[in-house]
Amino acid sequence: MLISYHPQDPSWNSVTGATRALNLTGLAGSYIADLSFQLLGLSAFSLPVLLWLVAWKWIPLAAY
């Protein structure tokens, strides 16, 4: 969501004439990215990395 950010995406903190989002996850992704950035600040960028690391650690457990 934050990786594919586009400045013309509609969100709660930006006013644009765009009717659709230009990021990879669409309109829902633009609102979720805006909300997470407002709540967590710059640490919102580390959230996907942390989730990926947790998922990577759980993969061997699912194989058994």
Side-chain angles (χ1 to χ4, degrees), residues 15-41:
V15 178
T16 65
T19 57
R20 65 181 195 99
L22 300 173
N23 65 25
L24 295 176
T25 55
L27 189 59
S30 69
Y31 283 104
I32 292 170
D34 179 51
L35 181 65
S36 65
F37 191 65
Q38 291 299 316
L39 291 176
L40 303 173

Side-chain angles (χ1 to χ4, degrees), residues 1 12-13 15 33 44 47 56 59:
M1 290 172 273
W12 289 298
N13 293 324
V15 178
L47 187 60
W56 185 257
I59 286 174

